[in-house]
């Protein structure tokens, strides 16, 4: 197993790049949640904005990732540092599943429950915090899960603009035509994606069980 | 039934409600007196539920005014208004992620009652509705249909509102459980004297529970009668409703098998 040997010989660098990778994915998903959750809530309440917001998020999603990194390069403050750029791009990609699932989750709450809440005299905020968000939480989380898994994959491409992460190994391996090096990036990335998927999936099930 | 000296608790004045060009309700005039159970009877789509939702402002009239406690509902604070009106619906609408206890305590909790008072109130209501105290920590999906509906009623009563709106509350229950709950409703009403507006399409339920019965047809009130008057009425629509329900029994008797 040459790959394993390569991994253990270079374990310091593997760990470093994995940490970078996690940082890129974690911070961008966090931003995406901070932006996407409120947007999802807004369009769930004002369905007229729905097409505009989901449409825009959809369009972003169709831009090839390498092209998006390229487009963002000339932007003043962002272009100065590759990791800023990568985080912005990853955030944009992660928005769609989070906005969409927040919207679907809230709209999917049993109308009888919502109407009962309103009829009992809950304010809009109370309805949102006590009823709609808790009942939508597992759907919203599954959006976060999709966003995380997509980001882990996409973040490997961030290495193309020098933002670091496990993509470094992949691009280096490609340049060196060395499978071991490619796999040294690809395998940890796949493990990260699986771990994110399983981890959030577990939380989701915990929430559903109630 | 004692006619109130302070005027009706709920009053509809020339109310109409339209959605686009569809007249859901037209020319509605109705007074509900303190302590009475007014039943809105009619087939699906006759505007019963809409009428109910105009009272707690889940809907607003296109024209006309709805008065609650002598003041126009449209001018009152909608949140305050709703918290003073109990609301029970057929789908129950219990919060699935709240325990029975928290469901019942909903309005007291958002009204900021101290915890001890809420606890005592929940206990009292469980007893009042004939629910075992063990149920307090269960979730709605762990209850039977009848238990859920009782919790729904307990929740509506929690902050002791003077008005109770009930939208086919027993509609989804089996006949025996329904009979039980109707009986309990009557005995509760004897001690609580709430002003109740009760929606149903079931004539038997209407005659059993109502102080007065308002028959609705295509968005209009056809007649408002006491149960006795209702059975004797010669009004064609009322008579037709009574006949259809009577038929069921006659058919059964005449089957001869």
């Amino acid at each position: 197993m040459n790959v394993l040997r390569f991994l253990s010989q270079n374990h310091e660098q593997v760990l470093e790049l994995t940490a970078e990778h996690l940082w890129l994915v974690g911070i961008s998903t966090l931003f995406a949640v901070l932006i996407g959750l409120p947007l999802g809530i807004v369009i769930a309440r004002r369905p007229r904005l729905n097409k505009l917001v989901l449409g825009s998020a959809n369009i972003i999603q169709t831009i090839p990732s390498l092209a998006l990194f390229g487009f963002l390069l000339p932007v003043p403050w962002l272009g100065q540092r590759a990791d800023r750029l990568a985080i912005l791009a990853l955030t944009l990609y992660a928005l769609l599943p989070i906005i969409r699932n927040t919207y679907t989750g809230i709209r999917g709450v049993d109308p009888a429950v919502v109407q009962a809440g309103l009829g009992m005299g809950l304010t809009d905020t109370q309805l949102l915090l006590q009823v709609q968000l808790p009942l939508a939480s597992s759907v919203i989380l599954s959006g976060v899960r999709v966003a995380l898994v997509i980001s882990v994959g996409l973040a490997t491409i961030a290495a193309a603009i020098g933002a670091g992460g496990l993509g470094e190994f992949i691009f280096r391996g490609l340049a060196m035509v060395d499978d071991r090096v490619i796999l040294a990036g690809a395998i940890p990335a796949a493990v990260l994606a699986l771990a994110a998927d399983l981890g959030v999936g577990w939380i989701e099930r915990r929430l559903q069980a109630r | 039934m004692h006619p109130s000296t302070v005027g009706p608790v709920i009053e509809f004045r020339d109310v109409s409600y339209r959605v686009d060009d569809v007249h859901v309700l037209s020319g509605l005039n109705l007074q509900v007196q303190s302590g009475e159970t007014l039943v809105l009877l009619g087939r699906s789509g006759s505007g019963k539920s809409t009428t109910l939702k105009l009272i707690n402002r889940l809907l607003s009239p296109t024209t006309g005014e709805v008065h609650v406690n002598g003041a126009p509902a449209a001018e009152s604070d909608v949140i305050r208004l709703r918290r003073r009106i109990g609301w029970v619906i057929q789908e129950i609408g219990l919060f699935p992620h709240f325990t029975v206890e928290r469901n019942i305590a909903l309005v007291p909790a958002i009204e900021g009652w101290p915890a001890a008072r809420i606890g005592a109130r929940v206990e009292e209501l469980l007893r009042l509705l004939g629910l075992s105290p063990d149920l307090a920590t269960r979730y709605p999906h762990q209850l039977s249909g009848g238990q859920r509906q009782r919790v729904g009623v307990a929740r509506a009563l929690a902050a002791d509102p003077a008005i109770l709106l009930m939208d086919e509350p027993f509609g989804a229950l089996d006949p025996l459980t329904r009979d039980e709950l109707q009986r309990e409703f009557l005995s509760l009403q004897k001690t609580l004297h709430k002003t109740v507006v009760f929606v149903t399409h079931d004539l038997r339920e209407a005659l059993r529970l109502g102080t007065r019965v308002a028959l609705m047809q295509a968005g209009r009130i056809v007649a408002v009668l006491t149960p006795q008057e209702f059975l004797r009425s010669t009004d064609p629509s009322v008579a037709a409703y009574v006949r259809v329900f009577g038929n069921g029994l006659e058919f059964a008797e005449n089957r001869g098998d």
Side-chain angles (χ1 to χ4, degrees), chain A residues 130-142:
Chain A
Q130 297 193 26
V131 181
Q132 291 171 312
L133 283 182
L135 289 176
S137 59
S138 70
V139 179
I140 296 174
L141 267 181
S142 83

Side-chain angles (χ1 to χ4, degrees), chain B residues 30-103:
Chain B
L30 182 68
Q31 297 191 339
V32 187
Q33 308 298 335
S34 172
E36 80 167 330
T37 302
L38 182 103
V39 175
L40 296 173
L41 177 70
R43 53 206 286 180
S44 311
S46 58
K48 310 177 300 270
S49 295
T50 306
T51 306
L52 213 57
K53 287 174 188 161
L54 289 171
I55 300 173
N56 66 1
R57 281 184 58 190
L58 283 172
L59 300 173
S60 298
T62 311
T63 62
E65 280 186 345
V66 180
H67 286 233
V68 178
N69 292 323
E75 286 165 25
S76 60
D77 177 283
V78 66
I79 298 297
R80 297 235 51 77
L81 177 82
R82 288 175 182 162
R83 288 184 193 171
R84 289 197 324 252
I85 299 178
W87 169 246
V88 190
I89 51 180
Q90 178 179 346
E91 301 84 4
I92 311 169
L94 292 180
F95 296 171
H97 59 307
F98 276 23
T99 58
V100 165
E101 199 166 24
R102 273 190 82 192
N103 264 295

Side-chain angles (χ1 to χ4, degrees), chain B residues 128-255:
Chain B
L128 192 66
L129 273 299
L131 290 161
S132 149
D134 311 341
L135 296 180
T137 51
R138 302 253 184 101
Y139 285 92
H141 71 266
Q142 298 168 309
L143 307 180
S144 70
Q147 286 170 331
R148 273 203 290 272
Q149 202 49 267
R150 285 184 170 92
V151 174
V153 175
R155 178 178 65 175
L157 289 172
D160 203 18
I163 301 172
L164 213 51
L165 306 181
M166 308 180 82
D167 194 351
E168 304 208 27
F170 310 142
L173 302 174
D174 66 84
L176 292 179
T177 311
R178 178 193 289 215
D179 176 72
E180 227 172 83
L181 276 157
Q182 288 172 349
R183 208 166 340 118
E184 284 166 22
F185 172 83
L186 285 172
S187 75
L188 275 178
Q189 244 323 54
K190 253 179 219 157
T191 53
L192 298 178
H193 303 296
K194 303 287 181 197
T195 304
V196 182
V197 184
F198 192 108
V199 163
T200 183
H201 55 249
D202 178 350
L203 177 70
R204 255 177 269 275
E205 186 166 72
L207 297 179
R208 185 176 191 187
L209 304 183
T211 318
R212 290 186 302 152
V213 178
L215 181 65
M216 293 193 70
Q217 224 164 44
R220 294 178 179 279
I221 291 185
V222 181
V224 186
L225 303 165
T226 66
Q228 292 79 9
E229 290 167 347
F230 200 95
L231 284 174
R232 278 186 254 113
S233 172
T234 51
D235 181 297
S237 319
V238 176
Y241 217 97
V242 173
R243 199 167 51 243
V244 169
F245 268 82
N247 277 347
L249 289 178
E250 279 165 32
F251 281 139
E253 270 174 20
N254 296 336
R255 278 177 60 171

Side-chain angles (χ1 to χ4, degrees), chain A residues 83-122:
Chain A
D83 56 345
R84 287 181 193 158
L85 245 173
I87 287 168
L88 174 68
L90 290 174
T91 304
L92 289 174
Y93 281 121
L95 279 177
L96 179 65
I98 292 172
I99 299 175
R100 195 183 43 208
N101 280 44
T102 305
Y103 171 79
T104 325
I106 291 179
R107 301 290 285 184
V109 173
D110 182 356
V113 170
V114 173
Q115 191 156 71
L118 283 175
M120 301 262 106
L122 292 187

